[in-house]
Every structure is written in structure tokens, then in C-alpha cells.
Amino acid sequence: MAHPSQLGFQDAASPVMEELLHFHDHTLMIVFLISTLVLYIIVAMVTTKLTNKFILDSQEIEIIWTLLPALILILIALPSLRILYLMDEINDPHLTIKAMGHQWYWSYEYTDYEDLGFDSYMIPTQDLTPGQFRLLETDHRMVIPVESPVRVLVSADDVLHSWAVPSLGIKMDAVPGRLNQTAFITSRPGVFYGQCSEICGANHSFMPIVVEAVPLEHFENWSSLMLEDA
Amino acid sequence: MCSSLWGLHHGFNPVLSRLCVFQGFKLLGILDVQRTPCARDAILHGAGGSVAAGMLYFLATSRVRRSFDVGLAGFILTTLGSWFYCRINNAKLRVQQRVIQEGIRNKVIYEGTVLDPSNKPKADARSGSS
């Protein structure tokens, strides 16, 4: 999850998010070097006593400052497009979950084998136990098996919402009357937090998402318990 | 927020001191050289290349301003070279790591079955016994 005053990304929990992190580092280094160059040029221009009143053109520098930015953009675009298409791959999911956005909670349906469905409401601040995270915890988590491809079908019941989990590199709009598909694999077990990412009314900030990745046998036990409680 | 002045004026704050551990050191306020893989080495190599290029040009030509320009060019080129070299090596290591993890996982799953890659072919046993 995020920590206070965090500026960077959360640690990656899926291969796609790892690739996004690496692409971000690559692009940031390019941006840093360009910023250094520009800063240096500004200082050099401000501190020089030289002026040339008769300069008309300079073909060499025009070629350089046309080709160099084009090359830089290609260096950024190629990994970017690679990740864009990587994110669209869906490789034979083991599990399909429907995530429905409501005002102001999420509901999850596991209907591959049995009819399992439950709502996921935020735990109010006054009901939190020590160690739980304010505005992030929910009464029921979306539990998934670790290292298994999972497909999530996102939609909404009333207004626009958005199902987002930053550490998995996922954000998908929940549109009423439309089914949006996303897929992911968690690289490690853990609990991953997200929040609704499309303004949806008074309690838009209070409908978080919690994904819990567990080993397969734990997932089977959990689903059996949830079916018994239903 | 993590400077000593904050501590002097506001007293020791255990929460803020823990936050300071997370913040890292950001060059130009954007590049976290402590937590970004390869960044620290690339910047240090770049600094060394910059100093070397600038000094060599100055010793050869005694032109001060142009030496700084050459130093900047050296910094950019050395940083880029070190950065991409390190990132490519890291990418190769990550691929190897994934292959090894997949191999370990397959070995655990298939151990003791017909698909176990460490099983010796049965034809060797038959020819040996006859």
C-alpha cells in the first residue's frame, strides 16, 4: 500500500507493473538528462558576455535539434508500445471475477463453478482495529489464488466508477451497461489496496478495493467458507 | 522535512524520522538515486566521465567555458552509456531468474511422475539388465 507523503509508485505485485516500473525509470533518466542539459544552457546563456548581432541561420544546429529529439522520442516510444501491447494480452485465465461498482461499495461475483457473490464495504474509521489502514480496509476482500491468471470483468450498477489497484498496475473504468475486461497475475502473496478512481458521488473516496492473493488451497478453503456463509 | 533544521526547531519526531527513511535522495527533485536500480552507478560514472572529459579538454586547449561544455557532454554520454549497460544486464538477469523459477516450480510439480526431467530413460535400465 502507499505510505504517507509517497511520491513514487508502490512496489510491483504483478509482472505488468514491474515492466511499468522499469519503463518509468528508463523515461525518468532521459527526462533527468534533458533537464540537466536545459539547466546548463540557461546558466550558460545568462552568464556569457558574447553576443552575435549578425547571425542569420545555422544548418548544423537546426539538424541536431531536430534529429536528437526525434531519436529520444523513438527511444521512449518503443518500450512504451511494447508494454501497451503486453498489457492487452490475456493468457487463458484460471478464474473470472465480476467486479460491480455501486454507490458506494464494490460487489464481487465468482460464478465459474458455484454462485458466490458478496459486497465489499469500507470499514468505517471508528470500527478499525489497531494495525488496520484508515479508508482502505473493507469487510470482505477479493481473494484470488497467487500466480494464477485472473480475469476481472468490471461494470457498474448506477454511475461511473473505476476499479484500480496500483500495485498490480490495473485501472479499469466501471461503466453502467458496459463490461470492461482486464487480467493480471500476482507474482507474490499479499494484500493489495486500491481506491475508486472515478468521481461517483458523496462517498467516492470511501469505497476502497482490497485484493488478497493467497495459495490455491487457502483460496479453496476461503471459497468453501464463503459459500457456506451465503 | 528531513533536514536537521526541522529536528532542531520542532524536536525529535519519531513519525517524521521514519518517513525520512522512505524518501530517498532525489536529484533535481525527480530522480531517486537510492531506490532506482542502476541510477546511482550511472550518475557516479557520469560525474567521473564529466570531470575527466572536462579536465582533459582544458589541459589540451586551456579554454574554460568550452571545457565545461565538453564536461557536460561527457556527463550525458557516460551516464547514458552506464545506464543502458546496467539496465540491459539487469534485464538479462531477470529473464534468467524467471527461467530458473519456472524450472524449480516445474520440478516440484513433476517430481516422481513420468514428466520429471531428472528421470533417466527406461531403455538404459533394460539394456543394462539383459
Side-chain angles (χ1 to χ4, degrees), chain B residues 10-108:
Chain B
H10 296 272
F12 176 70
N13 188 325
V15 173
L16 284 175
S17 65
R18 286 177 67 189
L19 286 175
C20 293
V21 170
F22 291 122
Q23 283 189 357
F25 177 65
K26 292 191 170 74
L27 282 178
L28 293 186
I30 56 173
L31 184 68
D32 190 340
V33 289
Q34 285 182 336
R35 296 172 66 190
T36 306
C38 300
R40 182 177 172 271
D41 288 344
I43 295 296
L44 289 174
H45 286 135
S50 162
V51 168
M55 285 297 296
L56 283 173
Y57 190 86
F58 177 73
L59 290 172
T61 62
S62 298
R63 294 174 70 176
V64 177
R65 285 190 78 91
R66 185 55 61 93
S67 301
F68 277 103
D69 298 342
V70 170
L72 178 75
F75 171 76
I76 290 174
L77 290 171
T78 316
T79 302
L80 273 177
S82 171
W83 170 258
F84 282 119
Y85 177 74
C86 179
R87 297 287 285 189
I88 286 171
N89 284 345
N90 272 9
K92 286 179 187 169
L93 277 175
R94 279 204 316 274
V95 168
Q96 282 178 355
Q97 181 192 350
R98 278 190 210 133
V99 167
I100 291 169
Q101 273 182 336
E102 194 68 30
I104 291 172
R105 196 179 306 129
N106 283 345
K107 179 160 174 56
V108 167

Side-chain angles (χ1 to χ4, degrees), chain A residues 3-5 7-9 11 15 18-19 21-33 35-37 39-41 43-45 47-50 75 147, chain B residues 1 19 22-23 26-32 35-40 42-43 65-70 72 75-77 79-80 83-84 87 94 98 101 105:
Chain A
H3 58 76
S5 73
L7 292 177
F9 290 116
D11 289 341
E18 284 179 28
E19 293 295 325
L21 279 179
H22 292 124
F23 171 69
H24 170 264
D25 293 341
H26 162 78
T27 309
L28 195 64
M29 177 55 79
I30 293 173
V31 164
F32 169 75
L33 291 174
S35 303
T36 306
L37 176 66
L39 197 61
Y40 178 84
I41 291 172
V43 170
M45 293 296 108
T47 55
T48 188
K49 291 176 186 164
L50 299 172
L75 267 182
E147 290 182 1
Chain B
M1 208 161 117
L19 286 175
F22 291 122
Q23 283 189 357
K26 292 191 170 74
L27 282 178
L28 293 186
I30 56 173
L31 184 68
D32 190 340
R35 296 172 66 190
T36 306
C38 300
R40 182 177 172 271
I43 295 296
R65 285 190 78 91
R66 185 55 61 93
S67 301
F68 277 103
D69 298 342
V70 170
L72 178 75
F75 171 76
I76 290 174
L77 290 171
T79 302
L80 273 177
W83 170 258
F84 282 119
R87 297 287 285 189
R94 279 204 316 274
R98 278 190 210 133
Q101 273 182 336
R105 196 179 306 129

